[in-house]
Amino acid sequence: MSPWLRFTLGLFVLLLVPVSAAQALDRKEVFNRLRQIPVFTLINDKGSPVLVTPKADKDKLQHATFFLNPQDVKEFQNLLNKGNPTLAKTVTVRAVPLNLAFQFGEEQKANKQPVRVDIVPTRKSVDYALTLAKQVNKDLKQFPGVPVFALTDLTGQKVVSIQPKGQSAPSQVYFLDEKDAQTTLTNLKKANPKLATQTRISAAPFENLLGLLLKLEKPADADRILVVPSTAALSYAKQLNPNPAKPAR
């Protein structure tokens, strides 16, 4: 599978939440709920994401790439150092809120020469998500998008509500790092062994989760959904820039 992953709307494991067709949340409001999730990109001296054209892109489109994992953006920077050292001298790694990466992608759709926006997960999380997906569909060849992980019932259809420390009510928690989901399941086995026997880790494309958020009727319903970035991502984001800047238009 290409590392230049983009969101797709393919459904194979649907993480269910109650939805209503009336007065759904708008895209901006949904995107703003992702502002606590850092992604990492290379910014040029004009304050814009660095654009590259991968050799594998048959359409020769330019790509703006945002990584979920700090190590991956560092490797991307190393590749740029080797391939285009002149450009590499003018760029820096920047942490950007995920909602702004999405908004940047929305803005590009109106351009005559569109820029493709890639959100890149770790190879390990994609491989793990594919393993989980094959338990449902043995014929699946690749995972259809950027994966999120949640604790569900054994069918993979109903998300187990969790009450994180400091939260006043249970929430449906979706993890961007599979290790966090695995740790949560381990803790559940200690706290509630009976429930743990009826629980598994399931994966779904992030785009599915966004689609569900867009169908929710009330902000209070969306408040019950938490998307958790990895500890490494949060730590590195604080090192880079405590107040992430918006990508230039």
Side-chain angles (χ1 to χ4, degrees):
M1 183 195 307
S2 167
W4 307 99
L5 294 173
R6 288 171 292 281
F7 290 141
T8 64
L9 196 56
L11 298 176
F12 86 90
V13 175
L14 182 59
L15 303 182
L16 296 177
V17 295
V19 298
S20 169
Q23 297 181 342
L25 304 182
D26 62 34
R27 295 182 73 83
K28 184 176 180 180
E29 185 171 2
V30 169
F31 286 164
N32 282 341
R33 291 177 178 276
L34 305 177
R35 63 186 178 274
Q36 301 302 323
I37 301 171
V39 290
F40 306 95
T41 191
L42 298 183
I43 298 293
N44 62 25
D45 54 3
K46 296 181 181 180
S48 299
V50 171
L51 304 180
V52 299
T53 302
K55 293 181 180 179
D57 192 328
K58 297 180 180 179
D59 297 325
K60 304 302 180 183
L61 294 177
Q62 291 185 309
H63 291 234
T65 308
F66 299 86
F67 297 88
L68 291 174
N69 183 267
Q71 188 58 42
D72 290 337
V73 75
K74 294 175 185 176
E75 292 179 6
F76 185 53
Q77 187 176 31
N78 289 337
L79 290 174
L80 188 63
N81 287 335
K82 297 176 181 178
N84 193 335
T86 301
L87 175 61
K89 291 179 181 179
T90 68
V91 307
T92 56
V93 177
R94 183 71 60 85
V96 179
L98 180 58
N99 64 307
L100 298 185
F102 276 124
Q103 289 175 23
F104 181 72
E106 293 275 300
E107 293 163 3
Q108 301 310 308
K109 294 179 181 179
N111 292 347
K112 292 182 179 179
Q113 295 181 330
V115 172
R116 180 168 289 172
V117 174
D118 297 328
I119 309 295
V120 182
T122 66
R123 170 65 63 182
K124 187 174 182 180
S125 68
V126 174
D127 289 344
Y128 182 61
L130 181 59
T131 299
L132 295 174
K134 284 186 173 181
Q135 295 175 12
V136 178
N137 180 358
K138 295 181 180 179
D139 297 327
L140 196 67
K141 301 301 181 183
Q142 65 179 32
F143 191 80
V146 177
V148 290
F149 304 92
L151 300 191
T152 70
D153 66 359
L154 296 181
T155 69
Q157 296 297 301
K158 183 178 180 181
V159 177
V160 176
S161 292
I162 301 170
Q163 187 163 345
K165 187 176 181 180
Q167 296 287 332
S168 59
S171 300
Q172 294 176 345
V173 183
Y174 299 87
F175 302 95
L176 289 171
D177 189 325
E178 76 284 349
K179 291 183 292 185
D180 291 329
Q182 292 165 350
T183 298
T184 302
L185 181 57
T186 298
N187 292 338
L188 179 63
K189 290 178 180 178
K190 297 176 182 178
N192 192 332
K194 183 177 179 179
L195 178 59
T197 62
Q198 304 168 20
T199 303
R200 56 170 287 190
I201 298 174
S202 295
F206 203 133
E207 186 72 10
N208 287 14
L209 181 58
L210 286 181
L212 290 171
L213 284 167
L214 287 166
K215 293 179 181 178
L216 291 178
E217 180 180 349
K218 302 176 182 177
D221 293 334
D223 289 342
R224 296 188 299 106
I225 297 176
L226 300 179
V227 184
V228 181
S230 70
T231 301
L234 289 173
S235 177
Y236 190 55
K238 290 180 180 179
Q239 292 179 37
L240 289 174
N241 48 308
N243 298 302
K246 179 179 180 179
R249 298 184 182 182

